[in-house]
């Protein structure tokens, strides 16, 4: 899909994302994951700031998203939660930071949209400090055969409508990358993965 068309899809969904009520289980997942953030944080595909209620108050956040409408909503959320946050409206796959720039890198529900998710994982690995943390909450293909068949059948339509692939092999991508996994929790027939990781240095 053309990148501008993808951006337009997410711009149109900004208000829906802001008003969407996640169930308590999803909120606990975010809290459990984001509570481990420390120091200088990079959050990729920040959306409307769904993670903001769960950050420790002392962190400094650089929040990136390619959707201006999402960024506008996230700014309001950061102000509401009294967070120290700066915002970048930019194509995340084209962003460049110096190596070892961040203490924590956060990605929640973003790897469904990247054209080259492995390239993004390699960038994340480089951008994280040697003693840093990489925190993921990502969704993808289920380990349940019947569910995975349905996901594959619906994926072309869902991608056109929502800009989101539902068939990514998240754990497979992680294992192919330079990221080192410390801990994994998988939920919803292994469609959702919470991943605590760290970078591999000098790869």
């Amino acid at each position: 899909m053309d990148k501008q068309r993808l951006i337009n899809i997410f711009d149109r969904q900004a208000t829906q994302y802001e008003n969407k009520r996640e169930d308590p289980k999803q909120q606990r997942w975010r809290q459990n994951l984001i509570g481990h953030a420390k120091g200088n944080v990079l959050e990729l595909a920040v959306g409307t700031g769904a993670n903001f209620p769960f950050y420790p108050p002392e962190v400094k956040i650089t929040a990136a998203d390619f959707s201006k409408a999402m960024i506008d909503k996230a700014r309001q959320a950061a102000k509401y939660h009294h967070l120290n946050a700066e915002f970048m409206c930019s194509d995340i796959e084209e962003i460049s930071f110096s190596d070892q720039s961040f203490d924590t890198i956060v990605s929640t529900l973003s790897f469904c949209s990247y054209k080259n998710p492995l390239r993004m994982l390699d960038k994340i690995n480089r951008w994280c400090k040697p003693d840093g943390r990489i925190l993921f909450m990502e969704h993808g293909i289920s380990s349940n055969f019947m569910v995975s068949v349905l996901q594959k059948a619906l994926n072309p339509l869902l991608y056109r409508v929502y800009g989101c692939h539902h068939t990514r092999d998240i754990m497979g991508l992680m294992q192919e990358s330079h990221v080192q996994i410390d801990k994994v929790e998988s939920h919803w027939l292994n469609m959702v993965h919470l991943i605590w990781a760290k970078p591999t240095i000098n790869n």
Side-chain angles (χ1 to χ4, degrees):
M1 184 186 298
D2 173 78
K3 186 57 67 78
Q4 187 56 54
R5 183 181 171 193
L6 190 61
I7 292 170
N8 292 342
I9 287 173
F10 281 92
D11 279 344
R12 291 196 298 270
Q13 294 181 93
T15 299
Q16 176 186 342
Y17 271 56
E18 182 185 39
N19 294 334
K20 186 167 129 186
R21 296 283 183 180
E22 291 185 326
D23 66 42
K25 183 180 291 186
Q26 288 174 276
Q27 292 181 5
R28 286 197 300 273
W29 294 344
R30 289 188 189 271
Q31 184 175 24
N32 190 22
L33 188 73
I34 303 303
H36 290 270
K38 64 175 183 177
N40 192 14
V41 177
L42 171 64
E43 182 170 344
L44 298 170
V46 67
T48 59
N51 291 323
F52 284 179
F54 311 115
Y55 275 109
E58 68 275 9
V59 300
K60 179 181 179 181
I61 303 167
T62 300
D65 204 291
F66 62 10
S67 166
K68 183 180 182 301
M70 293 283 189
I71 288 282
D72 289 344
K73 301 290 187 183
R75 286 184 192 276
Q76 297 172 22
K79 184 176 180 181
Y80 179 81
H81 292 288
H82 307 291
L83 291 174
N84 181 2
E86 296 181 353
F87 294 88
M88 299 177 60
C89 186
S90 181
D91 183 347
I92 296 165
E93 294 186 86
E94 301 303 323
I95 287 175
S96 179
F97 295 106
S98 299
D99 290 359
Q100 302 180 14
S101 293
F102 298 97
D103 300 293
T104 307
I105 300 180
V106 172
S107 169
T108 58
L109 308 181
S110 69
F111 271 78
C112 57
S113 296
Y114 296 135
K115 183 176 181 180
N116 192 332
L118 263 179
R119 182 168 174 262
M120 278 305 306
L121 283 169
D122 287 341
K123 285 186 171 187
I124 288 170
N125 184 73
R126 295 198 310 271
W127 294 338
C128 191
K129 292 181 180 179
D131 61 347
R133 302 167 181 174
I134 307 172
L135 307 173
F136 299 98
M137 184 175 77
E138 302 295 346
H139 74 95
I141 194 76
S142 174
S143 60
N144 179 283
F145 175 74
M146 292 307 297
V147 174
S148 69
V149 167
L150 184 60
Q151 286 177 290
K152 290 172 184 176
L154 292 176
N155 189 64
L157 173 62
L158 294 172
Y159 182 64
R160 286 197 302 272
V161 174
Y162 297 109
C164 173
H165 289 288
H166 285 66
T167 55
R168 292 266 160 94
D169 179 3
I170 297 301
M171 296 311 303
L173 288 167
M174 296 292 166
Q175 289 159 8
E176 285 187 65
S177 77
H178 296 294
V179 169
Q180 296 185 64
I181 297 172
D182 286 332
K183 176 184 173 184
V184 178
E185 291 182 8
S186 296
H187 304 274
W188 287 356
L189 300 176
N190 292 326
M191 285 188 289
V192 177
H193 305 280
L194 277 63
I195 303 166
W196 291 259
K198 60 188 177 185
T200 299
I201 308 304
N202 297 324
N203 54 79

